[in-house]
């Protein structure tokens, strides 16, 4: 039985590789030093720094109080905001479904002031059912959804940094 399973998997290997499937792997950045200018204590800042630290590769992250001109590029985390939108109510006016939204803005500039990535806003949305009798559990669910959205935005930001390229010379 094991031999048959192994042979079946070996037969499928060329099909899977031919479809273009490839694991994402560690990002390769077009710069080797990155200065991060971000609001202190922000959950998004913490998540971005955690993802940069675990990204691997040859990237060196520089943080304040060091000077920004010591890095090739500076990542500006310009802000984040949360939004909670009511999607559905009962006939008696009780909230039944909400949409959680998270927005984050950033830009990437090199030491000469050339913009690599313009001021960009990313967003994540999640829908959540709501029940007043389960308010504490729903608060915890909301916090978990926001943590997940912060993580998704940070990973999306790293992919955008890896895809960035120097602006054309004037």
């Amino acid at each position: 039985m094991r031999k048959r399973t192994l042979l079946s998997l070996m037969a499928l290997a060329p099909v899977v590789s031919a479809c273009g499937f490839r694991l994402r792997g560690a990002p390769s950045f077009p710069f080797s030093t990155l200065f991060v200018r971000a609001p202190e204590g922000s959950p998004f800042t913490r998540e971005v720094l955690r993802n940069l630290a675990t990204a691997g590769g040859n990237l060196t992250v520089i943080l304040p109080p060091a000077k920004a001109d010591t890095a090739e590029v500076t990542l500006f985390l310009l802000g984040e905001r949360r939004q909670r939108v009511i999607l559905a109510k009962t006939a008696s006016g009780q909230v039944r479904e909400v949409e959680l939204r998270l927005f984050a803005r950033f830009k990437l500039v090199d030491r000469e002031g050339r913009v690599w990535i313009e001021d960009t806003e990313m967003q994540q949305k999640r829908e959540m059912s709501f029940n007043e009798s389960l308010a504490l559990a729903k608060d915890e669910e909301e916090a978990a959804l926001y943590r997940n959205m912060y993580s998704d935005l940070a990973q999306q930001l790293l992919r955008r940094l890896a895809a960035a390229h120097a602006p054309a010379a004037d």
Side-chain angles (χ1 to χ4, degrees), residues 9-51:
L9 288 174
M10 288 176 56
L12 286 176
V15 173
V16 171
S17 65
C19 74
F21 176 78
R22 183 175 57 96
L23 292 175
R24 194 172 283 140
S28 174
F29 299 101
F31 41 82
S32 59
T33 55
L34 172 71
F35 183 81
V36 179
R37 186 173 305 277
E40 288 186 37
S42 154
F44 184 58
T45 299
R46 283 194 303 270
E47 193 65 31
V48 167
L49 292 175
R50 188 182 70 73
N51 275 270

Side-chain angles (χ1 to χ4, degrees), residues 13-170:
V15 173
V16 171
S17 65
C19 74
F21 176 78
R22 183 175 57 96
L23 292 175
R24 194 172 283 140
S28 174
F29 299 101
F31 41 82
S32 59
T33 55
L34 172 71
F35 183 81
V36 179
R37 186 173 305 277
E40 288 186 37
S42 154
F44 184 58
T45 299
R46 283 194 303 270
E47 193 65 31
V48 167
L49 292 175
R50 188 182 70 73
N51 275 270
L52 285 169
T54 59
N58 61 342
L59 182 66
T60 302
V61 177
I62 302 169
L63 299 169
K67 296 190 184 277
D69 61 0
T70 59
E72 289 178 57
V73 294
T74 300
L75 172 64
F76 292 90
L77 297 179
L78 302 171
E80 65 192 67
R81 66 185 162 88
R82 293 178 174 193
Q83 195 174 46
R84 191 171 195 243
V85 178
I86 297 171
L87 296 179
K89 290 184 176 184
T90 64
S92 61
Q94 292 181 323
V95 175
R96 283 294 167 228
E97 193 170 346
V98 295
E99 182 177 72
L100 305 175
R101 298 176 184 170
L102 179 62
F103 303 89
R105 289 182 39 235
F106 74 97
K107 70 178 178 178
L108 187 66
V109 179
D110 67 13
R111 67 176 76 132
E112 287 84 32
R114 296 180 303 169
V115 178
W116 284 43
I117 300 176
E118 295 286 338
D119 186 342
T120 304
E121 183 173 78
M122 301 180 298
Q123 67 175 319
Q124 287 284 311
K125 296 177 185 179
R126 301 286 190 276
E127 291 182 9
M128 178 180 88
S129 64
F130 191 78
N131 187 339
E132 285 84 9
S133 64
L134 302 172
L136 184 58
K138 289 300 179 176
D139 285 345
E140 290 181 21
E141 181 183 356
E142 183 175 330
L145 287 170
Y146 272 119
R147 280 192 304 273
N148 181 269
M149 288 190 287
Y150 279 119
S151 179
D152 285 352
L153 283 178
Q155 291 170 13
Q156 189 178 105
L157 175 62
L158 260 62
R159 288 191 298 273
R160 290 182 184 206
L161 292 177
H165 57 280
D170 293 334

